[in-house]
């Protein structure tokens, strides 16, 4: 225990994350809490200091505080005030712990990062291998465990669980990017491409649209950020901010469901369900567009008495989709942006836009190497895409999955090489708040490097022209 460091804790979380997400996804929330609190405690004990949130994330921290205050205030007009207060407090605590966690992971020393990256790579390989085995064998491992535990694999409660690894696939889609970053930074560039592509291939086999779409969009942003970094950041920021603020208008563009099903009878029932839920959420948003209905009130807007069953037909009169006993909004809108609009109105949506925009700005201004920064943009895109088509944004396991993978990305990302400047001037120090603790001052090339004249002038003649 005396040798326990932050790399061990973070690495253990990286190894356990995907198996837990596959089999007991709600376990991701305690995994996040234990990892975050444990990392902070070890830092305090070992370094006698608390994690400091980088200055680059100051606006993000302000956005979190404003968002939390508005969420608490929404209890005044909420239909479920006690639930709103509880949810607002829980989310605020999660955000504070998450920010502290990420700040601590950015301060790993070289030895801790070595331990963590080895565990991260092993966790990615093991998790994807486990997924491949389960998909190719009708969940043979899970069935074996259930049988040893005395459960019946024909239990109605377990039927959907055995064959549905969507939660695990969602975390795997997020995990791809810090995993690829660690492989790349350790000189395994080919594996950094092959392993994630294999994982995406498994998502195709699994037939889960949301993780596949999120990973694919993340890949597009990754390529754009690598090839045209000056274009990627403003375009992504503009799309995100406009998308958040204009979100309530989008459900209005969805045609009546009867017409939609007749004209497009091929999508899966989950696509139809989400479109119907989004259409209803859009209508309810305009009932209270400024203040919203109250934090975490989506689940209270409809109840058992509101459940209806409908059958939709194609142009030939053939049944295409049966809704089952479905509430207009079952628990949540399955879209984070619409949920925040519905519950916290324009003020909450503006806070979300500020939070996301500030995050992108901080990332763009960071001193990360281009490949690492591109992977972080891909993680951002993947997470936002998934949040926009699946899950309730306040679900503990989902928030935990987001924070864990952000912490993995923060710990595995490296700073840009400084081309020998720090070594040429030992007294100089890197003052960027987002610079890593190690690796930022390593020499790259020196006088015989990519610009020998300039570095020769610096070292031999004392000139610092054109820096």
């Amino acid at each position: 225990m005396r040798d326990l460091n932050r790399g061990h804790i973070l690495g253990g979380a990286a190894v356990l994350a995907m198996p837990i997400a596959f089999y007991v996804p709600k376990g991701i929330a305690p995994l996040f809490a234990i990892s975050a609190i444990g990392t902070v405690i070890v830092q305090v004990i070992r370094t006698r200091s608390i994690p400091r949130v980088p200055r680059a994330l100051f606006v993000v921290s302000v956005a979190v505080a404003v968002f939390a205050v508005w969420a608490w205030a929404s209890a005044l007009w909420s239909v479920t005030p006690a639930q709103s207060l509880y949810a607002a407090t829980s989310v605020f605590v999660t955000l504070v712990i998450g920010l502290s966690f990420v700040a601590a992971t950015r301060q790993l020393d070289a030895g801790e990062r070595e331990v963590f990256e080895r565990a991260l790579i092993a966790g990615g390989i093991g998790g994807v291998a486990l997924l491949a085995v389960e998909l190719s064998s009708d969940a043979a491992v899970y069935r074996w465990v259930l049988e040893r535990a005395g459960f019946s694999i024909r239990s109605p409660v377990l039927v959907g669980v055995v064959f549905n690894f969507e939660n695990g696939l969602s975390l795997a889609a997020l995990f791809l990017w810090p995993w690829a970053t660690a492989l790349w930074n350790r000189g395994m560039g080919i594996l950094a491409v092959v392993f994630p592509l294999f994982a995406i291939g498994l998502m195709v086999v699994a037939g889960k649209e949301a993780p596949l779409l999120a990973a694919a969009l993340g890949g597009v942003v990754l390529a754009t950020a690598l090839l045209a970094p000056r274009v990627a950041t403003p375009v992504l920021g503009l799309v995100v901010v406009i998308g958040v603020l204009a979100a309530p208008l989008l459900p209005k563009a969805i045609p009546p469901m009867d017409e939609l099903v007749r004209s497009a009878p091929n999508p899966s029932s989950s696509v139809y369900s989400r479109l119907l839920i989004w259409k209803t959420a859009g209508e309810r948003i305009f009932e209270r567009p400024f203040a919203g209905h109250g934090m975490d009130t989506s689940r209270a807007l409809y109840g058992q008495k509101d459940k209806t069953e409908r059958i939709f037909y194609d142009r030939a009169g053939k049944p295409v989709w049966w809704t089952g006993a479905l509430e207009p909004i079952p628990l949540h809108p399955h879209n984070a942006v619409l949920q925040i609009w519905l519950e916290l109105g324009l003020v909450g949506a503006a806070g979300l836009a500020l939070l996301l925009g500030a995050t992108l700005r901080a990332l763009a201004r960071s001193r990360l190497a281009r490949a690492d920064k591109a992977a972080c943009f891909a993680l951002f895109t993947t997470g936002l895409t998934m949040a926009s088509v699946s899950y309730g944004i306040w679900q503990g396991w989902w928030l935990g999955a987001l924070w864990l993978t952000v912490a993995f990305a923060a710990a595995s990302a490296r700073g840009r090489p400084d081309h020998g400047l720090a070594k040429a001037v030992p007294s100089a120090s890197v003052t960027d708040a987002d610079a890593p603790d190690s690796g930022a001052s390593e020499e790259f090339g020196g006088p015989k490097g990519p610009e020998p004249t300039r570095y020769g002038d610096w070292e031999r003649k004392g000139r610092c022209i054109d820096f």
Side-chain angles (χ1 to χ4, degrees):
M1 290 298 292
R2 288 180 309 205
D3 297 327
L4 181 68
N5 61 46
R6 293 167 293 185
H8 292 124
I9 297 173
L10 197 60
V15 171
L16 294 173
M18 276 207 275
I20 289 177
F22 288 143
Y23 300 131
V24 280
K26 289 186 177 180
I28 290 294
L31 179 65
F32 157 67
I34 293 170
S35 302
I37 296 172
T39 300
V40 172
I41 290 175
V42 169
Q43 171 156 336
V44 171
I45 293 174
R46 290 174 65 91
T47 68
R48 300 294 190 272
S49 65
I50 62 174
R52 293 180 298 171
V53 176
R55 290 192 301 272
L57 294 181
F58 174 76
V59 178
V60 175
S61 303
V62 171
V64 166
V66 171
F67 190 88
V69 170
W70 184 252
W72 277 315
S74 72
L76 296 174
W77 57 84
S78 170
V79 294
T80 55
Q83 178 60 28
S84 294
L85 282 174
Y86 172 80
T89 303
S90 176
V91 169
F92 177 71
V93 170
T94 300
L95 292 174
V96 171
I97 292 175
L99 280 172
S100 301
F101 187 27
V102 172
T105 59
R106 283 298 292 152
Q107 298 170 22
L108 299 185
D109 61 35
E112 290 173 318
R113 184 172 287 111
E114 174 75 15
V115 171
F116 161 68
E117 287 183 347
R118 288 176 180 270
L120 178 65
I121 293 171
I125 295 173
V128 170
L130 180 62
L131 176 60
V133 170
E134 293 290 61
L135 289 177
S136 62
S137 62
D138 288 336
V141 175
Y142 193 36
R143 288 173 177 271
W144 183 85
V145 172
L146 291 176
E147 289 173 353
R148 300 288 82 74
F151 291 99
S152 170
I153 59 175
R154 293 185 176 86
S155 169
V157 176
L158 299 174
V159 166
V161 177
V162 172
F163 297 102
N164 184 358
F165 292 111
E166 184 167 359
N167 292 350
L169 287 169
S170 297
L171 187 135
L174 298 170
F175 199 99
L176 290 179
W177 309 117
W179 183 34
T181 299
L183 288 166
W184 181 270
N185 286 335
R186 296 182 71 83
M188 294 179 275
I190 295 177
L191 296 182
V193 176
V194 172
F195 282 176
L197 286 178
F198 178 71
I200 292 174
L202 293 177
M203 295 177 193
V204 175
V205 173
K208 299 301 179 184
E209 297 97 338
L212 181 59
L213 172 66
L217 289 178
V220 171
V221 169
L222 173 75
T224 305
L226 286 173
L227 299 175
R230 293 175 181 259
V231 174
T233 303
V235 170
L236 182 59
L238 194 63
V239 169
V240 168
V241 172
I242 293 178
V244 169
L245 297 179
L249 302 176
L250 300 181
K252 290 182 174 293
I254 301 174
M257 291 306 298
D258 295 89
E259 178 184 334
L260 178 64
V261 174
R262 283 196 301 270
S263 60
N266 294 323
S268 65
S269 59
S270 62
V271 173
Y272 287 139
S273 298
R274 277 164 174 72
L275 291 174
L276 181 58
I277 293 168
W278 295 344
K279 192 170 181 64
T280 305
E283 295 169 355
R284 296 301 300 265
I285 285 171
F286 284 97
E287 294 177 2
R288 294 185 178 182
F290 180 78
H293 293 265
M295 178 75 170
D296 202 29
T297 54
S298 294
R299 63 181 66 240
L301 295 178
Y302 297 98
Q304 292 289 332
K305 60 182 176 56
D306 300 304
K307 287 186 175 181
T308 58
E309 298 184 42
R310 291 189 62 187
I311 300 177
F312 294 88
Y313 303 87
D314 61 15
R315 295 186 183 278
K318 178 183 177 182
V320 175
W321 176 40
W322 173 58
T323 65
L326 182 68
E327 299 171 21
I329 300 179
L331 298 180
H332 54 80
H334 291 77
N335 182 299
V337 179
L338 289 179
Q339 183 172 354
I340 289 174
W341 265 101
L342 181 65
E343 297 177 358
L344 300 176
L346 174 61
V347 177
L352 175 64
L354 175 62
L355 178 62
L356 297 177
T359 301
L360 285 174
R361 179 176 180 273
L363 182 57
R365 292 164 63 91
S366 70
R367 296 184 66 255
L368 297 180
R370 177 181 292 191
D372 296 48
K373 188 180 294 188
C376 290
F377 279 127
L379 174 61
F380 178 94
T381 304
T382 300
L384 184 58
T385 302
M386 200 93 62
S388 299
V389 296
S390 297
Y391 313 123
I393 189 57
W394 313 133
Q395 287 180 281
W397 86 269
W398 177 233
L399 286 175
L402 292 172
W403 278 116
L404 274 174
T405 47
V406 168
F408 296 160
S412 57
R414 307 285 179 88
R416 293 193 302 266
D418 63 6
H419 303 293
L421 176 60
K423 289 230 175 155
V425 190
S427 61
S429 62
V430 178
T431 58
D432 189 340
D434 205 27
D437 285 357
S438 62
S441 60
E442 293 178 1
E443 183 171 339
F444 183 80
K448 298 181 180 180
E451 298 180 75
T453 302
R454 181 180 302 175
Y455 290 107
D457 285 347
W458 170 260
E459 293 186 355
R460 297 187 179 91
K461 303 178 183 178
R463 296 177 182 175
C464 55
I465 299 169
D466 217 9
F467 272 81

